[in-house]
Amino acid sequence: MHITQLNRECLLHLFSFLDKNSRKSLAKTCHKLLEVFQDPVLWSLLNFNSPVELQKHNFLLGPALKYLSICWYSERVKVCNIEDWMKNNFQKDFCSRHENTVTDFLLEVGNRCPNLLSLTLSGCGHVTDDCLLLLLKNCPSLKTLKLENCARITDRTLDAAILYGGSLQTLHVDFCRNITQSGLERVKEKRPSVALRAERSANMIPDSKPEKK
């Protein structure tokens, strides 16, 4: 029996066991399998292990997306989390190649995936408060927001969570060095029902750019 003779339900079940690259490769073989690849049912969960994966176009973004994680554990994460004013030319060149990759992707998620329930970001050193503020506004059903080692995140993201995260149940801001204790206290005061965690964040040394002479 040829694979294309299977009904759509069986094909969707088969595709569900494949990774993004395998799904894309299989979809290129015929029109019927391409239609299965484009079915929103397949794309309720997306996991990425580096910013480069966001540019492969081997996935589908849409209202069906509920769970998203971008976790970058490579040694190169250390470069992205160096303060901008301390980077040498080599480090700046490295970061410039993907500086807006995650941010642009998350803005697209905010515009196309209003039913997102969970977002996990780890090692995303270039993600900004403005980006997360827009995502919180556009994804009102978001229940879980976990941020780890995101250097540019500040108390502005905490304030945005208070203001726009009406559905938030879990908020983690671990190893985010520009989060302060006062920002965490505001979340506890304004949103006591949220399960808040900030491992090491408020105890880390925040960025402090020297004054220009």
Side-chain angles (χ1 to χ4, degrees), residues 82-98:
I82 296 173
E83 296 92 326
D84 290 338
W85 54 274
M86 288 185 63
K87 291 175 183 173
N88 58 40
N89 290 334
F90 173 79
Q91 292 166 334
K92 289 179 180 178
D93 178 66
F94 171 77
C95 288
S96 67
R97 301 172 191 173
H98 60 261

Side-chain angles (χ1 to χ4, degrees), residues 180-190 196:
T180 69
Q181 189 61 44
S182 60
L184 296 173
E185 292 300 330
R186 284 199 300 275
V187 176
K188 293 177 182 178
E189 178 186 353
K190 303 291 186 179
L196 178 65

Side-chain angles (χ1 to χ4, degrees), residues 155 158-159 162 171-173 179-191 196-203:
D155 289 355
L158 300 182
D159 293 335
I162 294 171
L171 176 60
H172 292 179
V173 283
I179 293 293
T180 69
Q181 189 61 44
S182 60
L184 296 173
E185 292 300 330
R186 284 199 300 275
V187 176
K188 293 177 182 178
E189 178 186 353
K190 303 291 186 179
R191 299 293 305 279
L196 178 65
R197 191 180 80 184
E199 186 176 350
R200 293 284 302 277
S201 290
N203 296 321

Side-chain angles (χ1 to χ4, degrees), residues 12-13 25 35 50 58-59 70 92 99-101 103 105 130 132 158 162-163 165 179 181 191 207:
L12 284 170
H13 186 65
S25 297
E35 289 183 346
S50 76
N58 57 359
F59 55 88
I70 306 172
K92 289 179 180 178
E99 183 170 7
N100 298 316
T101 301
T103 296
F105 178 78
D130 289 336
L132 289 178
L158 300 182
I162 294 171
L163 188 59
I179 293 293
Q181 189 61 44
R191 299 293 305 279
D207 295 348

